[in-house]
């Protein structure tokens, strides 16, 4: 299992930190359940994503082409290194080089149009046209309760 590492504040030199200290810093985060479901659909259910399916199948002791249910994916995520194996399902705060509390702004995917407009105004000082481009979207809604129902076992 390959563990991926992400840039952390401790990886930055004093000069790097000083250079960005006064800059407008932001992140756009996604509702965690919707993000996890989207990662499952795109990286595990989609059999063309061999590399990502392989990580989960190996944990489950299965072949890469075996069926992997959402509940089994959650077992993998809950395992010791499950969250650390792939940035598609790693905690979003762990992907940041700056601690969330030190950011100037935290936006939400669910409010992307408004939040991105706010970011652009803060960076450029004026309103600019924002083009919507999402080539990898799984079209997972902000509220994913209906999508989860057919993917989970009833106990």
């Amino acid at each position: 299992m390959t563990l991926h590492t992400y840039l952390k504040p401790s990886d930055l030199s004093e000069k790097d930190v000083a250079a960005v200290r006064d800059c407008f810093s932001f992140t756009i985060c996604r509702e965690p359940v919707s993000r996890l479901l989207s990662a499952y659909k795109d990286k595990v259910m989609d059999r063309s994503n061999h590399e990502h399916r392989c990580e989960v199948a190996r944990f489950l002791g299965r072949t890469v082409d075996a069926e992997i249910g959402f509940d089994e994916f959650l077992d993998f995520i809950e395992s010791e290194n499950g969250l650390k194996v792939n940035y598609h399902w790693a905690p979003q705060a762990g992907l940041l080089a700056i601690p969330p509390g030190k950011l100037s702004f935290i936006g939400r995917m669910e409010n992307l149009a408004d939040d991105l407009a706010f970011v652009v105004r803060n960076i450029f000082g004026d309103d600019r046209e924002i083009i919507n481009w999402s080539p990898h979207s799984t079209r997972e809604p902000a509220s994913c309760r209906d999508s989860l129902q057919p993917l989970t076992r009833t106990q």
Side-chain angles (χ1 to χ4, degrees):
M1 183 178 316
T2 304
L3 295 179
H4 297 277
T5 58
Y6 311 103
L7 182 64
K8 303 218 175 354
S10 60
D11 297 329
L12 301 173
S13 70
E14 297 243 354
K15 183 179 176 184
D16 293 336
V17 172
V20 299
R21 185 171 286 131
D22 296 327
C23 292
F24 178 78
S25 58
F26 72 96
T27 189
I28 304 292
C29 65
R30 187 171 182 187
E31 191 278 322
V33 175
S34 175
R35 180 172 177 258
L36 193 60
L37 180 59
S38 179
Y40 168 72
K41 284 182 167 184
D42 187 49
K43 307 300 178 202
V44 179
M45 277 183 71
D46 179 354
R47 292 172 192 265
S48 66
N49 268 313
H50 184 79
E51 174 189 349
H52 303 294
R53 281 184 59 79
C54 208
E55 295 165 344
V56 180
R58 189 176 309 119
F59 168 80
L60 295 170
R62 306 251 183 87
T63 62
V64 73
D65 54 342
E67 195 68 35
I68 299 172
F70 186 65
D71 51 341
E72 294 171 310
F73 176 63
L74 292 178
D75 290 341
F76 166 74
I77 293 297
E78 291 177 338
S79 71
E80 183 179 348
N81 290 317
L83 284 174
K84 299 174 187 169
V85 170
N86 192 297
Y87 68 91
H88 289 98
W89 46 75
Q92 295 167 94
L95 302 174
L96 301 173
I98 300 171
K102 300 229 180 229
L103 293 170
S104 307
F105 179 71
I106 298 175
R108 299 182 51 89
M109 285 295 292
E110 297 79 19
N111 303 323
L112 187 59
D114 292 338
D115 289 351
L116 195 52
F118 178 81
V119 167
V120 168
R121 261 191 314 280
N122 274 275
I123 292 172
F124 297 106
D126 58 18
D127 291 322
R128 307 225 171 165
E129 180 183 10
I130 299 171
I131 299 169
N132 183 358
W133 184 68
S134 54
H136 300 294
S137 174
T138 58
R139 306 284 184 250
E140 198 53 52
S143 171
C144 54
R145 186 179 311 272
D146 294 337
S147 295
L148 280 172
Q149 192 62 33
L151 299 174
T152 56
R153 286 185 245 168
T154 53
Q155 305 278 343

